[in-house]
């Protein structure tokens, strides 16, 4: 899974639009959309900012263990979410 795909999945799980998340990052929606579409590279400082918004460590965002990230972002068990 590419980083843009991870970002899109996390954003959707949080129930945010691209516009809403772009505001959190203090950037234009189009620029954020380019990150999700993997058409723009993301620098480490931006990745750190994104991880902080989701309440996870940068390493977790990059490695993206879905269960670990889900548990931290939503404070619940992934299995319970889909029941």
């Amino acid at each position: 899974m590419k980083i843009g795909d991870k970002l899109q999945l996390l954003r959707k799980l949080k129930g945010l639009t691209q516009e809403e998340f772009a505001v959190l990052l203090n950037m234009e929606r189009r620029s954020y959309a380019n990150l999700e579409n993997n058409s723009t590279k993301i620098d480490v400082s931006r990745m750190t900012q994104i991880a902080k918004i989701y309440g996870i460590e940068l390493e977790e965002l990059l490695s993206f263990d879905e269960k670990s990230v889900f548990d931290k972002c939503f404070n619940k068990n992934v299995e319970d979410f889909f029941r």
Side-chain angles (χ1 to χ4, degrees):
M1 180 181 279
K2 293 183 177 182
I3 191 65
D5 301 323
K6 296 174 187 181
L7 296 177
Q8 184 178 53
L9 176 61
L10 283 169
R11 178 184 55 75
K12 287 182 176 183
L13 287 171
K14 279 289 200 180
L16 297 170
T17 65
Q18 286 183 338
E19 180 70 33
E20 291 167 331
F21 202 75
V23 167
L24 294 174
L25 293 172
N26 195 30
M27 63 189 306
E28 294 183 18
R29 188 210 57 83
R30 175 182 266 167
S31 297
Y32 179 75
N34 287 336
L35 298 179
E36 283 191 3
N37 293 328
N38 297 299
S39 58
T40 302
K41 294 193 182 231
I42 308 172
D43 62 40
V44 174
S45 63
R46 181 70 74 190
M47 288 298 297
T48 302
Q49 185 182 13
I50 291 169
K52 185 175 181 179
I53 290 170
Y54 286 121
I56 59 178
E57 298 295 323
L58 178 59
E59 294 80 17
E60 291 173 298
L61 180 59
L62 295 175
S63 65
F64 203 71
D65 172 13
E66 289 90 350
K67 183 176 180 342
S68 173
V69 170
F70 191 93
D71 289 348
K72 283 193 171 187
C73 286
F74 300 99
N75 296 320
K76 57 174 75 170
N77 192 320
V78 69
E79 288 84 14
D80 294 338
F81 182 79
F82 291 106
R83 287 184 197 194

